[in-house]
Amino acid sequence: MMHSLKQIFPRHDLIAFAILAAILAIVFPLTMDIFRLNLVGKYLTYAFVALGLVLCWGYGGILSLGQGIFFGLGGYCMAMFLKLEASSPENTAIQSTPGIPDFMDWNQLTELPWFWEPFHSLPFTLFAVIAVPTVFAFFIGVAMFKRRVGGVYFAIITQAIAAILTILIIGQQGFTGGVNGITDLRTFLGWDIRTDSAKYLLYFVNLVLLFICLVIAQCVRKNKLGRILVAMRVREERVRFSGYDVSNFKIFVFCLGALFSALGGAMFTLQVGFMSPTFVGIVPSIEMVILCAVGGRLSILGAIYGALLVNFAKTSFSETFPELWLFAMGALFISVVLFFPNGLASLYQEYVLPWIKARFKPRVKTKPEAKVESKAKPQPELSEATDDSANLPAGARYEN
Amino acid sequence: MFAEYSASELTAIFAMQGFAGLILFSVLVLMALGLAIIFGQMGVINMAHGEFMILGAYITYLTSNVFAEYLPSLFVGYFFVAMILAFGVTFLLGMAVEWGLIRFLYKRPLDTLLATWGLSLILQQLYRTIFGAREVGVSLPDWMMGSYALTDIIEVPINGIFVMILTLVIALGVYWLMYKSGWGRQVRAVVQNRPMASAVGINTEKVDRVTFGLGCGIAGIAGSAFTMIGSTGPTSGQLYIVDTFLVVVFGGAQSLLGTIASAFSISQAQSTMEFFLSGSMAKVLTLLFVVGILMLRPQGLFAMKIRH
């Protein structure tokens, strides 16, 4: 990379990352029992999707209503591996055909379908978790972006694909487990994933993966790539006339979003112990967009906080007032769009950050060198705009 | 899959399934006409369109109950009253929603999607609170039941013919309103160039409000027709929203004729294939086909030759 580490991680971002890491890796495990921590882990798998949406939608201006597709594909790949391990001939001896998953037996299948065979192997499964959704996203991206389909049309078509995939999974019960999904997952290479110690370990694995994705996202947004994405969202024609192939950047960022979602899906399967079409369809896909919108569509850390807060609210609301939850969710959608288009992150930047700056001003002034250096950056205006889209004219941000 | 049927049987199957698909076609056309006005003309992605349709269905249900309870002698004609009421209520609700929500979002089409999705969640829960989570059905008056035997194997359901005629009338009405009336000219002027339209003295805010209301009102009528093919539940509308958007996009968002043609081909393809395959596979194949064509021809079947 041409950019130094300091440019990719300015001090302010480094502190924010450290705070998030401290909350997730130290505060939560120390204060919560394993049941709640496992729930947090589940919420964090949605944060992968929200993070991908920040890059796709917030930066690139591509709203995908089909992130559930990739979450589901990643999750199903992992679930198929775990299911095959759970349905060894000894475990399934009572079935009419031992050695195949139980739902296949119930649907009168007598042998494993060909596309299940490779999922006996762990390396293939890990490869498939990453490759299947990314390649699928690549095909969708090429078909759409090369023909300059974007904006609203792209949203509707990805939504239709999510609907198709859900209907297909539910309809092909014998191959996919139907509406119940793939359930009763037990071990991962002989290691029981249902025990408390396994859940702790999986929580931290999930966390490490999430931070790897966060670092990738941070590299994307602090690099030239991030600036091109923003430029593309604001003035697509101008970027095209400057000689960039806009569609390739769109395809790249869409595939990256799909990859993040797939990792989230695979971790979901491992932590929750099942995968079903309810995480693939239209409704979950739109809910994932709202996680991103609540956190702030331009803030990668905001996406994580958004995913946590909305899901915490969802769980506590539906525990206490189940009938009020949909009202609250609907009101949340509307108020975020009407009053805080940039989500929690904009509140933070408008109110909290000035307060912090005012507090710690004397200490910042003792380091004049750092300030000068940051001013000498090649394009301070644009990199500023990526952080704080309030600088952009209101209309320009949403032009597609 | 056709091998085990003889040629005359196949003709009969296609004809029967074709007529069975008529109500689905009518519902899709009415939904899509409303959406074509809202989405095609105004550029608003109304994810709550299905909930407006369901509101129409619930109003039809209420009207039929009221008639059965208090005016049994007039029950034969309740459907016409129900339709008018369904249109009126959804029209007013649509105008209210435009005033309270949509008008702030005209410059941000993708955000209308999220906001109206929120609205649809609220409406769904509202229906669940008022009408209960169980699905409700509507009883039809006697003259709309039964079917008319065209030949000895082909039978045509009477309510299908009725809804079909109704759809035709409404489609013609919308066409006249959009392309022949002074009001339609104002709508198209506002869509094409908002500042210019307002400069020549068109009240753009009022045009927007009535246009959105009209689109929702037509969805309400679709809801009345919907009560004939399915029972009404709080989430029934959500199942139709993707289909409706696909119909509109497939037809070419700005073309009313395209909307009708694409609704016809989608509903007929689905109901014909349902005979030979399972319902879910028929749906998958239809949607795949539509998405495939849209990838090859993103502007839809009947696109106007303009560049944005």
Side-chain angles (χ1 to χ4, degrees):
Chain A
M1 293 275 157
M2 300 174 293
H3 294 258
S4 72
L5 208 59
K6 216 169 180 179
Q7 269 175 326
I8 292 174
F9 282 101
R11 199 168 125 240
H12 170 252
D13 285 1
L14 213 55
I15 295 174
F17 266 68
I19 292 174
L20 181 69
I23 294 176
L24 294 180
I26 300 169
V27 178
F28 281 173
L30 286 181
T31 55
M32 286 178 178
D33 56 29
I34 184 62
F35 173 73
R36 291 276 156 190
L37 194 69
N38 189 234
L39 272 184
V40 173
K42 184 175 127 185
Y43 303 158
L44 286 178
T45 61
Y46 300 136
F48 282 91
V49 186
L51 184 63
L53 276 168
V54 167
L55 292 181
C56 276
W57 178 38
Y59 281 83
I62 310 160
L63 178 55
S64 157
L65 292 184
Q67 293 304 93
I69 303 169
F70 311 118
F71 188 81
L73 284 176
Y76 265 99
C77 285
M78 185 51 90
M80 282 159 86
F81 171 74
L82 296 176
K83 188 70 194 172
L84 283 181
E85 196 174 306
S87 33
S88 59
E90 306 87 69
N91 284 342
T92 52
I94 49 161
Q95 288 176 181
S96 48
T97 317
I100 64 171
D102 46 12
F103 59 82
M104 291 186 186
D105 196 53
W106 301 332
N107 286 284
Q108 278 90 39
L109 259 66
T110 48
E111 59 178 330
L112 206 60
W114 58 268
F115 62 89
W116 274 73
E117 286 294 347
F119 286 93
H120 278 295
S121 121
L122 178 65
F124 177 84
T125 305
L126 295 181
F127 172 73
V129 163
I130 292 171
V132 171
T134 315
V135 170
F136 193 50
F138 179 77
F139 279 117
I140 298 176
V142 168
M144 309 288 293
F145 297 132
K146 288 285 181 195
R147 289 174 184 277
R148 300 193 187 175
V149 177
V152 173
Y153 290 82
F154 184 75
I156 291 173
I157 289 185
T158 46
Q159 191 177 37
I161 296 173
I164 294 172
L165 195 65
T166 320
I167 300 170
L168 200 63
I169 291 174
I170 294 175
Q172 297 299 310
Q173 206 173 2
F175 300 127
T176 60
V179 78
N180 297 322
I182 301 181
T183 54
D184 199 20
L185 308 173
R186 295 166 198 171
T187 54
F188 180 81
L189 292 180
W191 172 58
D192 195 334
I193 56 170
R194 293 165 301 175
T195 59
D196 283 356
S197 60
K199 282 181 176 165
Y200 270 112
L201 191 59
L202 283 172
Y203 176 81
F204 284 103
V205 172
N206 189 26
L207 216 55
V208 169
L209 276 176
L210 184 63
F211 271 88
I212 293 175
C213 289
L214 270 172
V215 169
I216 295 173
Q218 176 79 358
C219 290
V220 167
R221 67 183 266 258
K222 287 288 172 189
N223 256 313
K224 192 175 164 190
L225 181 58
R227 292 206 191 94
I228 292 174
L229 286 178
V230 174
M232 210 168 72
R233 181 193 67 208
V234 181
R235 287 273 183 275
E236 185 176 328
E237 292 300 321
R238 211 148 146 184
V239 177
R240 194 171 281 137
F241 293 151
S242 312
Y244 290 103
D245 187 347
V246 170
S247 55
N248 284 347
F249 289 100
K250 286 189 173 176
I251 294 168
F252 169 76
V253 77
F254 184 56
C255 288
L256 191 65
L259 173 67
F260 287 176
S261 308
L263 287 176
M267 286 315 294
F268 179 92
T269 307
L270 278 170
Q271 291 188 85
V272 183
F274 76 101
M275 189 71 211
S276 89
T278 40
F279 303 100
V280 179
I282 297 167
V283 178
S285 300
I286 295 188
E287 274 181 11
M288 288 161 184
V289 174
I290 202 67
L291 301 182
C292 164
V294 168
R297 61 183 78 169
L298 286 167
S299 160
I300 57 172
L301 294 178
I304 317 290
Y305 289 115
L308 286 175
L309 277 177
V310 174
N311 282 301
F312 267 129
K314 185 176 184 173
T315 312
S316 50
F317 252 104
S318 39
E319 274 169 7
T320 39
F321 319 100
E323 68 283 355
L324 282 184
W325 163 243
L326 276 181
F327 285 130
M329 185 86 169
L332 184 70
F333 268 74
I334 292 174
S335 53
V336 162
V337 167
L338 280 185
F339 307 116
F340 316 107
N342 287 318
L344 290 173
S346 69
L347 287 183
Y348 168 76
Q349 255 158 359
E350 270 170 49
Y351 300 104
V352 184
L353 201 61
W355 182 81
I356 295 177
K357 273 189 177 159
R359 282 259 139 148
F360 295 97
K361 213 167 188 181
R363 287 183 59 195
V364 175
K365 272 195 172 170
T366 55
K367 282 194 172 179
E369 280 173 53
K371 266 201 139 179
V372 172
E373 194 188 338
S374 74
K375 277 209 171 165
K377 270 192 206 170
Q379 285 165 304
E381 301 89 359
L382 239 180
S383 70
E384 198 76 1
T386 50
D387 280 355
D388 181 6
S389 72
N391 291 348
L392 295 170
R397 260 184 291 156
Y398 303 99
E399 267 180 22
N400 277 304
Chain B
M1 63 188 181
F2 301 126
E4 62 262 48
Y5 301 100
S6 74
S8 67
E9 273 175 333
L10 271 180
T11 329
I13 288 168
F14 277 117
M16 293 271 282
Q17 290 298 114
F19 281 112
L22 278 185
I23 304 185
L24 178 63
F25 162 62
S26 306
V27 172
L28 273 185
V29 163
L30 289 174
M31 282 278 280
L33 275 179
L35 204 63
I37 293 174
I38 292 174
F39 173 60
Q41 303 288 331
M42 302 172 77
V44 172
I45 313 174
N46 184 16
M47 294 299 286
H49 206 67
E51 276 62 40
F52 281 102
M53 174 185 97
I54 289 306
L55 181 62
Y58 272 124
I59 286 168
T60 312
Y61 163 74
L62 287 181
T63 321
S64 86
N65 280 4
V66 167
F67 269 75
E69 189 81 13
Y70 301 106
L71 301 161
S73 56
L74 297 176
F75 190 72
V76 282
Y78 91 87
F79 202 80
F80 297 97
V81 181
M83 261 171 22
I84 294 166
L85 280 177
F87 177 82
V89 173
T90 44
F91 178 74
L92 289 177
L93 183 67
M95 296 228 291
V97 166
E98 201 279 343
W99 176 78
L101 183 64
I102 306 293
R103 68 186 168 126
F104 305 108
L105 302 171
Y106 282 121
K107 283 187 181 149
R108 296 147 54 184
L110 289 178
D111 284 15
T112 59
L113 188 155
L114 293 179
T116 51
W117 180 262
L119 178 71
S120 85
L121 291 183
I122 291 177
L123 287 176
Q124 276 174 27
Q125 187 57 37
L126 210 59
Y127 300 153
R128 202 170 285 132
T129 315
I130 299 173
F131 299 100
R134 278 185 52 207
E135 301 198 333
V136 295
V138 170
S139 51
L140 289 174
D142 292 334
W143 63 270
M144 279 161 85
M145 311 266 249
S147 53
Y148 172 73
L150 210 60
T151 68
D152 47 348
I153 9 180
I154 303 174
E155 286 186 343
V156 187
I158 289 175
N159 58 3
I161 300 175
F162 173 74
V163 174
M164 185 68 212
I165 294 170
L166 182 80
T167 308
L168 205 68
V169 171
I170 291 170
L172 285 175
V174 170
Y175 175 78
W176 177 82
L177 211 56
M178 294 304 291
Y179 292 101
K180 299 289 170 203
S181 73
W183 179 77
R185 201 174 303 122
Q186 289 191 355
V187 172
R188 284 177 292 135
V190 171
V191 169
Q192 280 176 13
N193 194 332
R194 187 172 294 266
M196 207 58 203
S198 100
V200 297
I202 296 174
N203 183 346
T204 56
E205 283 184 15
K206 193 177 147 209
V207 167
D208 284 336
R209 198 152 308 149
V210 177
T211 315
F212 194 82
L214 184 74
C216 295
I218 297 173
I221 301 181
S224 283
F226 174 76
T227 55
M228 293 185 194
I229 51 167
S231 44
T232 309
T235 50
S236 310
Q238 214 169 51
L239 305 173
Y240 281 83
I241 190 70
V242 173
D243 293 27
T244 312
F245 268 113
L246 279 185
V247 166
V248 175
V249 176
F250 187 52
Q254 259 124 9
S255 155
L256 289 184
L257 184 67
T259 304
I260 295 172
S262 79
F264 185 76
S265 42
I266 289 179
S267 61
Q268 292 302 333
Q270 189 172 329
S271 88
T272 315
M273 276 194 288
E274 255 169 26
F275 188 85
F276 299 100
L277 302 158
S278 68
S280 67
M281 279 317 283
K283 181 129 196 179
V284 166
L285 284 180
T286 317
L287 291 181
L288 267 184
F289 180 68
V290 172
V291 168
I293 289 197
L294 279 178
M295 285 187 169
L296 295 175
R297 198 180 151 78
Q299 67 273 46
L301 290 180
F302 292 73
M304 281 192 214
K305 295 210 166 35
I306 40 172
R307 291 202 65 125
H308 292 283

